[in-house]
Amino acid sequence: MSDVLGLGNGVPWWALLLMLIGLIALVGVLGALFLPDWPSPDYSIGFDADPGSDGFAEGVATFLNDPLFRGGEATLLQNGDAFYPAMLQAIRDARDTINFETYIFEPDEIGQQFLDAFKERARAGVEVRLLVDGFGGMKLKRRYRNDLTKAGVKVRRFRPLGLRNLVRIYRREHRRATVIDGKIGFTGGAAISKKWKGNVTNNHEWRDSMTRVTGPLVAGIQSAFSENWVYCTGEVLAGPRFFPPVEPGPGICGVSVVSSPSDSLQTIRLLFWLSFSNARKRLWICNSYFIPDRRLRDAVVRRSRQGVDVRVLVPGNHTDAVPVQAAGQSYYEELLRAGVRIFEFEPAMMHAKTVVIDSAWSIVGSANMDERSMELNEENVLGIADQAFARSVEEGLLSDYGRSREIKLEEWRKRSIVRKAFERVAKALIEQY
């Protein structure tokens, strides 16, 4: 092969492979920089309903082919001081099953509490299943997994790094799906690491939230776990033990939406778009990796120009992904010109992923607002129609705005040419995921 390419016999095959990969990446970046986007059809709204209303929730559920769950409660848990104790207490109170799925699991001072709780419950006869991503869970080394297994915990890694998964290495399990006894569920943006502990009292404590749900909607979180569990193990979790029958009743109304790279419908993208497009008064978006595609940006811009109060909260100087942040900032001017208010959170890394619309409809879960979450990762979110829950999301965001820097259009336009070039290159690189 090296002779054919004119490189001589001294060039090893792996060097040729690296050169080919580099060439492909270079072509992709140059194309993203200088060629127009590949045309994709615009979405057009098929129904018009107030977000949070029965008509809206039913329309979303029907279109996305997801069941509409009625009844139960949803509680927003802000920051590690709130969600870690709630999750650990639910685990320690488990009597039958614990199904726990997350992206990052680090066996530090926080992770060790969960490991101890898993082992204690497993020894007490509870079936405990732990599913972590093969990349995000790299710090959960073999010795920790062996200790869990000896205690009776079933542990699996989703696509661990290795040659057999090389062609799918970029497709990760990013879901947050925890279910206790089929009756209590948790989802949100956080994972298991000490960086999520505390209450953002310093720049090392990340800002994030988790949502605790009871009632019928728990089945949606259980399904998110069960899909990836059967993929990794072949064990089918079905029946009343995992999905106990729950009669619809008073309380929240919502949908549970999961996404996978094999899903051509891109349901989470459509859930966001349907929600944005129906906003009447208020559309507040909080997301740690905010790189919305053209269709989502168009929906946000249209709503803002029609008088909707549109706000976007993103990380500020404390970010764990500078190129991703720069890619998102490349869209600031377009959004600011349309009247969108943009806030950068200053105290620490802002990792939350929430949307609240018209004080009535909320979206919470694992999904970032970027192409990776829409098309490549395994994700899960909840759409919740409940005014009390929406108010709790709004109250948290109002507090966050007070600790953020608002970006102004005239000031933003004055940034340097070097900064603008960096944003453009970062956008091109991120689009090659």
Side-chain angles (χ1 to χ4, degrees), residues 67-83:
L68 184 62
F69 300 100
R70 296 181 183 274
E73 296 181 350
T75 305
L76 187 70
L77 305 170
Q78 302 277 25
N79 299 321
D81 275 357
F83 54 71

Side-chain angles (χ1 to χ4, degrees), residues 280-299:
R280 265 66 167 162
K281 300 175 182 178
R282 182 176 293 174
L283 169 55
W284 290 0
I285 302 166
C286 171
N287 206 274
S288 49
Y289 308 109
F290 182 77
I291 317 175
D293 69 1
R294 177 182 56 81
R295 288 174 291 197
L296 291 180
R297 293 198 312 277
D298 287 348

Side-chain angles (χ1 to χ4, degrees), residues 286-319:
C286 171
N287 206 274
S288 49
Y289 308 109
F290 182 77
I291 317 175
D293 69 1
R294 177 182 56 81
R295 288 174 291 197
L296 291 180
R297 293 198 312 277
D298 287 348
V300 167
V301 165
R302 280 197 305 270
R303 291 293 91 192
S304 183
R305 287 176 175 164
Q306 292 174 5
V308 175
D309 175 12
V310 181
R311 305 185 189 187
V312 175
L313 176 66
V314 293
N317 290 333
H318 299 288
T319 177

